[in-house]
Amino acid sequence: KDLYPDSMLNRWDTTRYIEFEPRVAGSFRWNSSSELVFSPASGFKPGVEYKAKLTRNILVQGKKEYHLAKSQVLNFHTAPLRVQQAHTSWTRGRESANVMVQLDLDFNYETNLTEAASKLKLSAYGNPVSFNTVNSGTGKTLSVQFLPLNDKDEEIKLDVALSKGITIANSKVTSEKDTAFAAPIASRYTLGITGGEAPDTGTEGVV
């Protein structure tokens, strides 16, 4: 439907065509007579349930008279805090020269790493695994180290459990669900490539 004149397209304005709950400040722009874009001033908050309600302002500039249905509320949410990737590797201990296993957990948001570590439990072969936290403060990657679980040439399944209640940095939003998954630990006697990047320097590619 033609809701907006072509002569006024591609202009940012603060008319409240859509009302958000919780409130989100920002600007709107009509890309076409039927396509409206919203740009939040400071982004949507992570892990939050939102409601978006169309207002009558959306119809004011239309060539024809249209009416909004009684219920024009859209529900959506931003992604909750979650582990995007888990990676294990062999390394030297942070506080000693011993060979250690390091587990890196990558979150989708910055979080309180000390709090995240307090919610973390590791186990293997049905037994708990004690670990030391490598980093602290605020960040997206939690790293912990622990002693080798055996000296055999075999892959080991590490069970990882994170309790709910981890706080997203600079917010009051916490994770609402427990998370559990398995992360493989490769044999220390086997050399393997676990990832690769190919940046472009502008004159050549590098791997």
Side-chain angles (χ1 to χ4, degrees):
K1 296 180 179 181
D2 293 332
L3 300 177
Y4 210 71
D6 292 344
S7 61
M8 299 176 66
L9 298 179
N10 301 312
R11 299 178 183 178
W12 291 104
D13 71 74
T14 55
T15 302
R16 297 177 69 179
Y17 300 105
I18 303 174
E19 293 181 343
F20 295 96
E21 183 185 336
R23 188 175 182 278
V24 181
S27 301
F28 294 88
R29 184 184 70 189
W30 289 89
N31 285 345
S32 71
S33 60
S34 59
E35 181 183 343
L36 178 64
V37 174
F38 174 69
S39 176
S42 57
F44 290 96
K45 295 181 180 180
V48 173
E49 297 282 344
Y50 284 95
K51 291 183 180 180
K53 181 181 180 181
L54 302 182
T55 72
R56 285 199 56 79
N57 290 329
I58 209 168
L59 305 176
V60 171
Q61 300 291 341
K63 295 180 180 179
K64 298 181 180 180
E65 184 177 352
Y66 296 109
H67 299 279
L68 292 175
K70 291 183 179 180
S71 178
Q72 286 296 330
V73 177
L74 306 175
N75 297 303
F76 67 97
H77 63 85
T78 49
L81 180 67
R82 60 172 177 261
V83 176
Q84 291 185 307
Q85 183 176 349
H87 175 255
T88 58
S89 60
W90 292 91
T91 186
R92 290 291 181 184
R94 182 186 181 189
E95 300 177 356
S96 68
N98 292 336
V99 173
M100 305 286 283
V101 181
Q102 180 161 318
L103 170 67
D104 298 313
L105 300 178
D106 295 333
F107 294 95
N108 58 330
Y109 297 118
E110 289 199 341
T111 186
N112 183 321
L113 298 178
T114 301
E115 181 182 56
S118 71
K119 304 287 186 179
L120 177 64
K121 291 184 178 180
L122 304 179
S123 61
Y125 304 115
N127 298 314
V129 174
S130 299
F131 59 85
N132 296 318
T133 305
V134 174
N135 53 354
S136 60
T138 299
K140 284 189 173 183
T141 301
L142 171 63
S143 299
V144 300
Q145 292 181 352
F146 51 91
L147 291 170
L149 302 176
N150 63 32
D151 58 359
K152 298 179 180 179
D153 184 6
E154 63 180 16
E155 182 178 280
I156 300 172
K157 185 185 76 168
L158 178 69
D159 293 312
V160 182
L162 274 170
S163 300
K164 61 184 179 181
I166 301 173
T167 306
I168 297 174
N170 302 315
S171 79
K172 297 180 180 180
V173 179
T174 61
S175 56
E176 297 182 350
K177 295 182 179 180
D178 295 339
T179 302
F181 56 89
I185 302 174
S187 168
R188 73 170 91 176
Y189 305 105
T190 302
L191 177 65
I193 298 175
T194 59
E197 295 184 2
D200 191 342
T201 64
T203 58
E204 61 181 357
V206 180
V207 177

